[in-house]
Amino acid sequence: METVRVVCPKCRVELDVKNRLNVEQKLIKCPNCGCQLMVRFRSQPMQAGLAQPVQEAMPVQQAYQQPQYQPPQYQQPAYQPVPDDGRTILAGHHTQQQAVGNTAGFLVYNHVRYPLVIGRNTIGRRSSTPQATVQIDTNGNNTMSRFHAVIETVRMADMSVRAIISNGSNKNSTFVSGVLLNGSDKLILKNGAEIKMGTVILRYELPV
Protein backbone atom coordinates (compact mmCIF):
# COMPACT_ATOMS: atom_id res chain seq x y z
CA MET A 1 0.00 0.00 0.00
CA GLU A 2 1.48 3.31 -1.12
CA THR A 3 2.03 6.08 1.41
CA VAL A 4 2.67 9.67 0.31
CA ARG A 5 3.95 12.44 2.53
CA VAL A 6 2.44 15.84 1.73
CA VAL A 7 2.72 19.33 3.12
CA CYS A 8 -0.39 21.41 3.83
CA PRO A 9 0.13 24.70 1.94
CA LYS A 10 -1.85 26.60 4.59
CA CYS A 11 -0.31 25.52 7.92
CA ARG A 12 2.81 23.71 6.53
CA VAL A 13 2.21 20.57 8.58
CA GLU A 14 3.48 17.30 7.03
CA LEU A 15 0.96 14.48 6.62
CA ASP A 16 1.37 10.81 5.66
CA VAL A 17 -1.50 9.76 3.41
CA LYS A 18 -2.10 6.07 2.65
CA ASN A 19 -3.58 4.85 -0.63
CA ARG A 20 -5.76 2.06 0.76
CA LEU A 21 -8.07 1.98 -2.25
CA ASN A 22 -5.31 2.18 -4.87
CA VAL A 23 -6.63 5.40 -6.43
CA GLU A 24 -4.80 8.08 -8.40
CA GLN A 25 -5.87 10.94 -6.14
CA LYS A 26 -7.60 11.42 -2.82
CA LEU A 27 -9.39 14.27 -1.09
CA ILE A 28 -8.41 14.76 2.56
CA LYS A 29 -8.92 17.34 5.26
CA CYS A 30 -5.92 18.72 7.14
CA PRO A 31 -6.40 17.73 10.81
CA ASN A 32 -4.48 20.83 11.90
CA CYS A 33 -6.18 23.69 10.04
CA GLY A 34 -9.16 22.04 8.32
CA CYS A 35 -8.03 22.94 4.80
CA GLN A 36 -9.29 20.52 2.14
CA LEU A 37 -6.42 19.06 0.11
CA MET A 38 -6.13 16.99 -3.06
CA VAL A 39 -3.36 14.35 -2.81
CA ARG A 40 -2.09 12.71 -6.01
CA PHE A 41 -0.49 9.25 -5.79
CA ARG A 42 2.24 7.96 -8.09
CA SER A 43 1.23 5.77 -11.01
CA GLN A 44 4.45 3.73 -10.66
CA PRO A 45 5.80 2.27 -7.37
CA MET A 46 9.07 3.72 -6.08
CA GLN A 47 12.18 1.57 -6.41
CA ALA A 48 13.44 0.05 -3.19
CA GLY A 49 16.01 2.14 -1.38
CA LEU A 50 14.99 5.47 -2.97
CA ALA A 51 13.69 8.19 -0.70
CA GLN A 52 10.19 9.48 -1.36
CA PRO A 53 10.09 13.22 -2.04
CA VAL A 54 7.59 15.29 -0.04
CA GLN A 55 4.67 16.55 -2.12
CA GLU A 56 3.09 19.98 -1.89
CA ALA A 57 -0.61 19.18 -1.49
CA MET A 58 -3.05 21.10 -3.66
CA PRO A 59 -5.75 23.02 -1.76
CA VAL A 60 -9.25 22.39 -3.08
CA GLN A 61 -10.78 25.55 -4.56
CA GLN A 62 -14.02 26.52 -2.92
CA ALA A 63 -17.01 27.10 -5.18
CA TYR A 64 -17.58 30.79 -5.90
CA GLN A 65 -20.50 32.19 -3.97
CA GLN A 66 -22.32 35.18 -5.40
CA PRO A 67 -22.38 37.88 -2.71
CA GLN A 68 -25.87 38.61 -1.48
CA TYR A 69 -27.30 41.75 -3.07
CA GLN A 70 -27.79 44.59 -0.64
CA PRO A 71 -29.95 47.36 -2.07
CA PRO A 72 -28.55 50.83 -1.45
CA GLN A 73 -30.25 52.65 1.37
CA TYR A 74 -32.18 55.74 0.41
CA GLN A 75 -30.78 58.87 2.01
CA GLN A 76 -33.15 61.71 2.67
CA PRO A 77 -31.71 64.89 1.10
CA ALA A 78 -30.56 67.49 3.59
CA TYR A 79 -33.47 69.77 4.47
CA GLN A 80 -32.96 73.29 3.19
CA PRO A 81 -35.84 75.67 3.89
CA VAL A 82 -36.82 77.89 0.98
CA PRO A 83 -37.40 81.52 1.94
CA ASP A 84 -40.81 82.97 1.12
CA ASP A 85 -40.12 85.29 -1.81
CA GLY A 86 -43.63 86.70 -1.93
CA ARG A 87 -44.84 84.39 -4.70
CA THR A 88 -47.02 82.23 -2.43
CA ILE A 89 -49.84 80.75 -4.47
CA LEU A 90 -53.30 80.03 -3.07
CA ALA A 91 -54.88 77.69 -5.60
CA GLY A 92 -58.23 76.02 -6.11
CA HIS A 93 -60.73 76.52 -3.28
CA HIS A 94 -57.91 77.45 -0.89
CA THR A 95 -58.68 81.14 -0.96
CA GLN A 96 -56.93 83.70 1.18
CA GLN A 97 -59.80 83.65 3.68
CA GLN A 98 -59.69 79.85 4.01
CA ALA A 99 -55.92 79.72 4.40
CA VAL A 100 -55.56 82.38 7.08
CA GLY A 101 -55.38 80.63 10.46
CA ASN A 102 -56.08 77.31 8.79
CA THR A 103 -52.73 76.63 7.14
CA ALA A 104 -51.53 73.09 7.85
CA GLY A 105 -48.30 73.22 5.88
CA PHE A 106 -46.92 73.90 2.44
CA LEU A 107 -45.84 72.10 -0.70
CA VAL A 108 -42.81 73.83 -2.19
CA TYR A 109 -41.99 73.64 -5.89
CA ASN A 110 -39.73 75.90 -7.92
CA HIS A 111 -39.37 78.28 -4.94
CA VAL A 112 -43.14 78.70 -4.67
CA ARG A 113 -45.16 77.65 -1.61
CA TYR A 114 -48.57 76.07 -2.08
CA PRO A 115 -50.53 76.10 1.20
CA LEU A 116 -52.38 73.10 2.58
CA VAL A 117 -55.40 73.54 4.83
CA ILE A 118 -56.73 71.46 7.71
CA GLY A 119 -58.75 68.63 6.19
CA ARG A 120 -58.59 67.04 2.75
CA ASN A 121 -56.22 68.47 0.12
CA THR A 122 -56.17 67.02 -3.40
CA ILE A 123 -52.91 67.63 -5.25
CA GLY A 124 -52.48 67.93 -9.01
CA ARG A 125 -51.02 70.03 -11.78
CA ARG A 126 -52.58 73.26 -12.89
CA SER A 127 -54.45 72.99 -16.18
CA SER A 128 -57.34 74.53 -18.09
CA THR A 129 -59.55 71.76 -16.63
CA PRO A 130 -58.35 71.56 -13.01
CA GLN A 131 -59.31 68.60 -10.83
CA ALA A 132 -57.36 69.33 -7.62
CA THR A 133 -57.78 71.81 -4.80
CA VAL A 134 -54.03 72.46 -4.72
CA GLN A 135 -52.85 73.04 -8.27
CA ILE A 136 -49.10 73.00 -8.91
CA ASP A 137 -47.74 75.08 -11.77
CA THR A 138 -45.44 72.45 -13.35
CA ASN A 139 -44.33 74.64 -16.27
CA GLY A 140 -45.74 72.20 -18.84
CA ASN A 141 -44.56 69.00 -17.13
CA ASN A 142 -47.50 66.64 -17.69
CA THR A 143 -46.05 63.69 -15.75
CA MET A 144 -48.02 64.93 -12.75
CA SER A 145 -51.72 64.19 -13.10
CA ARG A 146 -54.40 66.83 -12.73
CA PHE A 147 -55.51 64.83 -9.66
CA HIS A 148 -52.43 63.00 -8.45
CA ALA A 149 -52.48 62.52 -4.66
CA VAL A 150 -54.37 63.31 -1.47
CA ILE A 151 -52.93 64.92 1.66
CA GLU A 152 -55.18 64.86 4.73
CA THR A 153 -54.13 67.08 7.61
CA VAL A 154 -55.28 66.97 11.23
CA ARG A 155 -54.53 69.39 14.05
CA MET A 156 -53.60 67.43 17.16
CA ALA A 157 -54.46 68.23 20.79
CA ASP A 158 -51.05 69.89 21.28
CA MET A 159 -51.79 72.10 18.22
CA SER A 160 -49.21 70.29 16.09
CA VAL A 161 -50.21 69.21 12.57
CA ARG A 162 -50.19 65.66 11.21
CA ALA A 163 -50.23 65.27 7.42
CA ILE A 164 -51.02 61.91 5.79
CA ILE A 165 -50.47 61.34 2.07
CA SER A 166 -52.03 58.70 -0.18
CA ASN A 167 -52.06 58.12 -3.92
CA GLY A 168 -55.85 58.32 -4.09
CA SER A 169 -57.24 56.53 -7.14
CA ASN A 170 -54.46 57.80 -9.40
CA LYS A 171 -52.67 55.24 -11.59
CA ASN A 172 -49.50 57.32 -11.88
CA SER A 173 -46.77 56.79 -9.30
CA THR A 174 -46.14 58.78 -6.15
CA PHE A 175 -42.94 58.43 -4.11
CA VAL A 176 -42.32 59.82 -0.62
CA SER A 177 -38.64 60.01 0.32
CA GLY A 178 -37.97 57.20 -2.18
CA VAL A 179 -40.85 54.98 -0.96
CA LEU A 180 -43.49 54.06 -3.56
CA LEU A 181 -47.11 54.46 -2.51
CA ASN A 182 -49.06 51.39 -3.64
CA GLY A 183 -52.83 51.16 -3.77
CA SER A 184 -54.28 52.29 -0.45
CA ASP A 185 -50.89 52.97 1.22
CA LYS A 186 -50.79 55.99 3.53
CA LEU A 187 -47.69 57.67 4.94
CA ILE A 188 -47.25 60.37 7.56
CA LEU A 189 -45.25 63.25 6.11
CA LYS A 190 -42.27 64.56 8.00
CA ASN A 191 -41.03 68.11 7.75
CA GLY A 192 -38.80 68.35 4.67
CA ALA A 193 -40.10 65.12 3.09
CA GLU A 194 -39.49 64.82 -0.64
CA ILE A 195 -42.62 63.97 -2.66
CA LYS A 196 -42.21 62.84 -6.27
CA MET A 197 -45.25 62.87 -8.53
CA GLY A 198 -44.28 61.76 -12.02
CA THR A 199 -41.00 63.64 -12.44
CA VAL A 200 -42.16 66.65 -10.43
CA ILE A 201 -40.44 66.79 -7.03
CA LEU A 202 -42.14 68.73 -4.23
CA ARG A 203 -41.13 69.27 -0.63
CA TYR A 204 -43.46 69.27 2.35
CA GLU A 205 -42.93 71.99 4.95
CA LEU A 206 -44.67 72.50 8.26
CA PRO A 207 -46.08 75.96 8.90
CA VAL A 208 -43.71 78.28 10.72
Side-chain angles (χ1 to χ4, degrees), residues 17-201:
V17 183
K18 297 182 179 181
N19 189 6
R20 292 189 175 90
L21 300 178
N22 195 26
V23 294
E24 293 184 359
Q25 58 186 21
K26 183 178 182 180
L27 180 65
I28 67 168
K29 185 176 183 180
C30 178
N32 186 49
C33 66
C35 179
Q36 288 190 328
L37 309 172
M38 183 64 71
V39 179
R40 299 185 184 278
F41 296 98
R42 299 172 182 81
S43 58
Q44 299 294 332
M46 293 294 293
Q47 296 181 11
L50 295 180
Q52 276 193 339
V54 178
Q55 291 188 32
E56 181 83 15
M58 297 176 59
V60 177
Q61 294 184 352
Q62 300 294 329
Y64 174 75
Q65 293 184 351
Q66 178 71 25
Q68 187 176 3
Y69 173 70
Q70 297 289 341
Q73 292 185 349
Y74 175 82
Q75 293 184 348
Q76 173 73 22
Y79 172 62
Q80 296 180 348
V82 177
D84 187 354
D85 57 5
R87 292 187 291 163
T88 300
I89 292 178
L90 303 176
H93 70 241
H94 294 176
T95 62
Q96 181 70 33
Q97 290 74 21
Q98 289 174 305
V100 171
N102 198 31
T103 302
F106 299 92
L107 294 179
V108 182
Y109 177 70
N110 197 23
H111 294 276
V112 180
R113 281 191 174 105
Y114 296 83
L116 305 171
V117 298
I118 297 295
R120 179 181 171 89
N121 302 265
T122 55
I123 316 300
R125 62 178 167 84
R126 176 178 294 176
S127 70
S128 58
T129 55
Q131 297 182 10
T133 58
V134 179
Q135 301 166 36
I136 309 298
D137 185 0
T138 61
N139 299 317
N141 186 336
N142 294 332
T143 59
M144 174 189 276
S145 304
R146 288 176 296 171
F147 174 22
H148 200 109
V150 177
I151 297 178
E152 298 183 58
T153 62
V154 179
R155 193 173 299 280
M156 310 302 288
D158 60 358
M159 300 306 293
S160 64
V161 173
R162 175 173 293 180
I164 302 173
I165 187 171
S166 62
N167 204 40
S169 58
N170 182 38
K171 295 181 180 179
N172 295 330
S173 60
T174 300
F175 291 83
V176 178
S177 299
V179 177
L180 174 64
L181 293 181
N182 289 310
S184 58
D185 288 353
K186 293 185 178 182
L187 287 178
I188 297 177
L189 292 174
K190 294 182 179 180
N191 191 31
E194 181 183 271
I195 306 171
K196 184 177 180 182
M197 303 182 187
T199 58
V200 176
I201 299 177

